[in-house]
Coordinates of all heavy atoms in Angstrom, one line a residue:
R1457 N -5.4 1.2 -17.1 CA -5.6 1.3 -18.6 C -6.8 2.3 -18.9 O -7.8 2.3 -18.3 CB -6.0 -0.1 -19.1 CG -6.2 -0.1 -20.6 CD -6.5 -1.6 -21.1 NE -5.4 -2.5 -20.8 CZ -5.4 -3.5 -20.0 NH1 -6.5 -3.9 -19.4 NH2 -4.3 -4.2 -19.9
G1458 N -6.5 3.2 -19.7 CA -7.5 4.2 -20.1 C -7.5 5.5 -19.3 O -8.2 6.4 -19.6
F1459 N -6.6 5.5 -18.2 CA -6.5 6.7 -17.4 C -5.8 7.9 -18.2 O -4.8 7.6 -18.9 CB -5.7 6.5 -16.2 CG -6.4 5.8 -15.0 CD1 -7.7 5.2 -15.3 CD2 -5.9 5.6 -13.8 CE1 -8.3 4.5 -14.3 CE2 -6.5 4.9 -12.8 CZ -7.7 4.4 -13.0
D1460 N -6.4 9.1 -18.1 CA -5.6 10.2 -18.7 C -4.6 10.7 -17.6 O -4.6 10.1 -16.5 CB -6.6 11.3 -19.1 CG -7.4 11.9 -18.0 OD1 -7.1 11.6 -16.8 OD2 -8.4 12.6 -18.3
H1461 N -3.9 11.7 -18.0 CA -2.8 12.2 -17.1 C -3.4 12.6 -15.7 O -2.8 12.2 -14.7 CB -2.1 13.4 -17.7 CG -1.0 13.9 -16.9 ND1 0.3 13.4 -17.0 CD2 -0.9 14.9 -16.0 CE1 1.1 14.0 -16.1 NE2 0.4 15.0 -15.5
A1462 N -4.5 13.3 -15.7 CA -5.1 13.8 -14.4 C -5.5 12.6 -13.6 O -5.3 12.6 -12.4 CB -6.2 14.8 -14.7
A1463 N -6.2 11.7 -14.2 CA -6.8 10.5 -13.5 C -5.6 9.7 -12.9 O -5.7 9.2 -11.8 CB -7.6 9.7 -14.4
L1464 N -4.6 9.5 -13.7 CA -3.4 8.8 -13.2 C -2.7 9.4 -12.0 O -2.4 8.8 -11.1 CB -2.4 8.6 -14.4 CG -1.2 7.7 -14.1 CD1 -1.7 6.3 -13.7 CD2 -0.3 7.6 -15.3
G1465 N -2.6 10.8 -12.1 CA -2.0 11.5 -11.0 C -2.8 11.3 -9.7 O -2.3 11.1 -8.6
R1466 N -4.2 11.4 -9.8 CA -5.0 11.2 -8.7 C -4.9 9.8 -8.1 O -4.9 9.6 -6.9 CB -6.5 11.5 -9.0 CG -6.8 12.9 -9.3 CD -8.3 13.2 -9.3 NE -8.9 12.5 -10.5 CZ -9.1 13.0 -11.7 NH1 -8.6 14.2 -12.0 NH2 -9.7 12.3 -12.6
W1467 N -4.8 8.8 -9.0 CA -4.6 7.4 -8.5 C -3.3 7.2 -7.8 O -3.3 6.6 -6.7 CB -4.7 6.5 -9.7 CG -4.6 5.0 -9.4 CD1 -5.7 4.2 -8.9 CD2 -3.5 4.2 -9.5 NE1 -5.2 2.9 -8.8 CE2 -3.9 2.9 -9.1 CE3 -2.2 4.4 -9.8 CZ2 -3.0 1.8 -9.0 CZ3 -1.3 3.3 -9.8 CH2 -1.7 2.0 -9.4
V1468 N -2.3 7.8 -8.3 CA -1.0 7.7 -7.6 C -1.0 8.4 -6.2 O -0.5 7.9 -5.2 CB 0.2 8.2 -8.5 CG1 1.5 8.3 -7.7 CG2 0.3 7.4 -9.7
N1469 N -1.7 9.6 -6.2 CA -1.8 10.3 -4.9 C -2.6 9.5 -3.9 O -2.3 9.5 -2.7 CB -2.4 11.7 -5.2 CG -1.5 12.6 -5.9 OD1 -0.3 12.5 -5.8 ND2 -2.0 13.6 -6.6
D1470 N -3.6 8.8 -4.4 CA -4.4 8.0 -3.5 C -3.6 6.9 -2.9 O -3.7 6.5 -1.7 CB -5.7 7.4 -4.2 CG -6.8 8.5 -4.5 OD1 -6.7 9.5 -3.8 OD2 -7.6 8.2 -5.3
N1471 N -2.8 6.3 -3.7 CA -1.8 5.2 -3.3 C -0.9 5.8 -2.2 O -0.7 5.1 -1.2 CB -1.0 4.7 -4.4 CG -1.8 3.7 -5.3 OD1 -2.7 3.0 -4.8 ND2 -1.4 3.5 -6.5
T1472 N -0.4 7.0 -2.4 CA 0.5 7.6 -1.5 C -0.2 7.8 -0.1 O 0.4 7.6 0.9 CB 1.0 9.0 -2.0 OG1 1.7 8.7 -3.2 CG2 1.9 9.6 -1.0
D1473 N -1.5 8.3 -0.2 CA -2.2 8.4 1.1 C -2.3 7.1 1.9 O -2.2 7.1 3.1 CB -3.7 8.9 0.8 CG -3.7 10.4 0.3 OD1 -2.7 11.1 0.6 OD2 -4.7 10.8 -0.3
D1474 N -2.6 6.0 1.1 CA -2.6 4.7 1.8 C -1.3 4.3 2.4 O -1.2 3.8 3.5 CB -3.0 3.6 0.7 CG -4.5 3.7 0.3 OD1 -5.3 4.4 1.1 OD2 -4.9 3.2 -0.7
I1475 N -0.2 4.5 1.6 CA 1.1 4.2 2.0 C 1.6 4.9 3.3 O 2.1 4.4 4.2 CB 2.1 4.5 0.9 CG1 2.0 3.5 -0.3 CG2 3.6 4.4 1.4 CD1 2.7 3.9 -1.5
L1476 N 1.2 6.2 3.4 CA 1.6 7.0 4.5 C 0.5 7.0 5.6 O 0.1 8.0 6.1 CB 1.9 8.5 4.0 CG 3.0 8.6 3.0 CD1 3.2 10.1 2.6 CD2 4.3 8.1 3.6
Y1477 N 0.1 5.8 6.0 CA -0.9 5.7 7.0 C -0.3 6.2 8.4 O 1.0 6.2 8.5 CB -1.3 4.2 7.2 CG -0.2 3.3 7.6 CD1 0.1 3.1 8.9 CD2 0.5 2.5 6.6 CE1 1.1 2.2 9.3 CE2 1.5 1.6 7.0 CZ 1.8 1.5 8.3 OH 2.8 0.6 8.7
P1478 N -1.1 6.7 9.2 CA -0.6 7.1 10.6 C 0.1 6.1 11.3 O -0.3 4.9 11.4 CB -1.9 7.6 11.3 CG -2.9 7.8 10.2 CD -2.6 6.8 9.2
L1479 N 1.3 6.4 11.9 CA 2.1 5.4 12.6 C 1.7 5.3 14.0 O 2.5 5.4 14.9 CB 3.6 5.8 12.4 CG 4.1 5.6 11.0 CD1 5.6 6.1 10.9 CD2 4.0 4.2 10.5
D1480 N 0.4 5.1 14.3 CA 0.0 4.8 15.6 C -0.1 3.3 15.8 O 0.0 2.5 14.9 CB -1.4 5.5 15.9 CG -2.5 5.1 14.9 OD1 -2.6 3.9 14.7 OD2 -3.1 6.0 14.4
A1481 N -0.3 2.9 17.0 CA -0.2 1.4 17.4 C -1.2 0.7 16.6 O -1.0 -0.5 16.1 CB -0.4 1.2 18.9
E1482 N -2.5 1.2 16.5 CA -3.5 0.4 15.8 C -3.2 0.2 14.3 O -3.3 -0.9 13.8 CB -4.8 1.2 15.9 CG -6.0 0.5 15.2 CD -7.3 1.4 15.2 OE1 -7.3 2.4 15.8 OE2 -8.3 1.0 14.6
H1483 N -2.8 1.3 13.6 CA -2.5 1.1 12.2 C -1.3 0.3 11.9 O -1.2 -0.5 11.0 CB -2.4 2.5 11.6 CG -3.6 3.2 11.4 ND1 -4.2 4.0 12.4 CD2 -4.5 3.3 10.3 CE1 -5.3 4.5 11.9 NE2 -5.5 4.1 10.7
K1484 N -0.3 0.4 12.8 CA 1.0 -0.3 12.6 C 0.7 -1.8 12.8 O 1.2 -2.7 12.1 CB 2.0 0.2 13.6 CG 2.6 1.5 13.2 CD 3.6 2.1 14.2 CE 4.8 1.2 14.3 NZ 5.8 1.9 15.3
A1485 N -0.1 -2.2 13.8 CA -0.5 -3.5 14.1 C -1.2 -4.1 12.9 O -1.0 -5.3 12.5 CB -1.3 -3.7 15.4
S1486 N -2.2 -3.4 12.4 CA -3.0 -3.8 11.3 C -2.1 -4.1 10.0 O -2.2 -5.1 9.3 CB -4.1 -2.8 10.9 OG -4.9 -3.3 9.8
A1487 N -1.2 -3.2 9.8 CA -0.3 -3.3 8.6 C 0.6 -4.5 8.7 O 0.9 -5.2 7.8 CB 0.5 -2.0 8.4
A1488 N 1.1 -4.7 9.9 CA 2.1 -5.8 10.2 C 1.4 -7.2 10.0 O 2.2 -8.2 9.8 CB 2.6 -5.7 11.6
K1489 N 0.1 -7.2 10.0 CA -0.6 -8.5 9.8 C -0.6 -9.0 8.4 O -0.9 -10.1 8.0 CB -2.0 -8.5 10.4 CG -2.0 -8.4 11.9 CD -3.5 -8.2 12.4 CE -3.6 -8.1 13.9 NZ -5.0 -7.9 14.3
Q1490 N -0.4 -8.0 7.4 CA -0.5 -8.4 6.0 C 0.5 -9.3 5.6 O 1.7 -9.3 6.1 CB -0.4 -7.1 5.2 CG -1.7 -6.3 5.1 CD -1.7 -5.3 4.0 OE1 -0.6 -5.1 3.3 NE2 -2.8 -4.7 3.7
V1491 N 0.2 -10.2 4.7 CA 1.2 -11.2 4.2 C 1.3 -11.0 2.7 O 0.4 -10.6 2.0 CB 0.7 -12.7 4.5 CG1 0.7 -12.9 6.0 CG2 -0.6 -13.0 3.8
P1492 N 2.5 -11.2 2.2 CA 2.8 -10.9 0.8 C 2.3 -12.1 -0.1 O 1.9 -13.2 0.5 CB 4.3 -10.9 0.7 CG 4.8 -11.8 1.8 CD 3.8 -11.6 2.9
Q1493 N 2.2 -11.9 -1.3 CA 1.8 -13.0 -2.3 C 2.9 -13.1 -3.4 O 3.3 -12.1 -4.0 CB 0.5 -12.6 -2.9 CG -0.6 -12.5 -1.9 CD -1.0 -13.8 -1.2 OE1 -0.6 -14.9 -1.6 NE2 -1.6 -13.7 0.0
P1494 N 3.4 -14.3 -3.6 CA 3.1 -15.5 -2.8 C 3.8 -15.5 -1.4 O 4.8 -14.8 -1.3 CB 3.8 -16.6 -3.7 CG 4.9 -15.9 -4.4 CD 4.4 -14.5 -4.7
N1495 N 3.2 -16.1 -0.5 CA 3.7 -16.0 0.9 C 4.8 -17.1 1.2 O 4.6 -17.9 2.1 CB 2.6 -16.1 1.9 CG 3.0 -15.8 3.3 OD1 4.0 -15.1 3.5 ND2 2.3 -16.3 4.3
D1496 N 5.8 -17.2 0.3 CA 6.9 -18.1 0.6 C 7.9 -17.5 1.6 O 7.7 -16.4 2.0 CB 7.6 -18.5 -0.8 CG 8.2 -17.3 -1.5 OD1 8.2 -16.2 -0.9 OD2 8.6 -17.4 -2.6
A1497 N 8.9 -18.3 1.9 CA 9.8 -17.9 2.9 C 10.5 -16.6 2.6 O 10.7 -15.7 3.4 CB 10.8 -19.0 3.2
A1498 N 11.0 -16.5 1.3 CA 11.7 -15.3 0.9 C 10.9 -14.0 0.9 O 11.3 -13.0 1.3 CB 12.4 -15.5 -0.4
S1499 N 9.6 -14.2 0.4 CA 8.7 -13.0 0.4 C 8.3 -12.6 1.8 O 8.2 -11.4 2.1 CB 7.5 -13.4 -0.4 OG 7.8 -13.7 -1.8
A1500 N 8.1 -13.6 2.7 CA 7.8 -13.3 4.1 C 8.9 -12.6 4.7 O 8.7 -11.7 5.6 CB 7.4 -14.6 4.8
K1501 N 10.1 -13.0 4.4 CA 11.3 -12.3 4.9 C 11.4 -10.9 4.5 O 11.7 -10.0 5.3 CB 12.6 -13.0 4.5 CG 13.9 -12.5 5.1 CD 15.1 -13.4 4.8 CE 16.3 -12.9 5.4 NZ 17.5 -13.7 5.1
S1502 N 11.0 -10.6 3.3 CA 11.0 -9.3 2.7 C 9.9 -8.4 3.4 O 10.2 -7.3 3.8 CB 10.6 -9.3 1.2 OG 10.4 -8.0 0.7
A1503 N 8.7 -9.0 3.6 CA 7.7 -8.3 4.4 C 8.1 -8.0 5.8 O 7.8 -6.9 6.3 CB 6.4 -9.1 4.3
A1504 N 8.7 -8.9 6.4 CA 9.2 -8.7 7.8 C 10.2 -7.6 7.9 O 10.2 -6.8 8.8 CB 9.7 -10.0 8.4

């Protein structure tokens, strides 16, 4: 809310940097530990 076009573009690009984390063992293991919200059976299945 309140972001102009440039600020919104930067925010999306920052998200992309987070999403495209290095696929090494450490980062993959850390990412795999995250649980979705709500952590019900169907959401957990999606995350898996």
Side-chain angles (χ1 to χ4, degrees):
R1457 186 176 295 118
F1459 282 11
D1460 61 14
H1461 182 84
L1464 185 57
R1466 288 192 296 270
W1467 183 80
V1468 174
N1469 287 336
D1470 286 344
N1471 280 336
T1472 301
D1473 288 342
D1474 290 339
I1475 290 166
L1476 298 179
Y1477 63 85
L1479 291 177
D1480 54 52
E1482 178 184 357
H1483 286 86
K1484 287 174 68 175
S1486 181
K1489 292 178 182 178
Q1490 283 196 349
V1491 296
Q1493 299 297 336
N1495 191 22
D1496 59 9
S1499 299
K1501 186 176 182 180
S1502 171

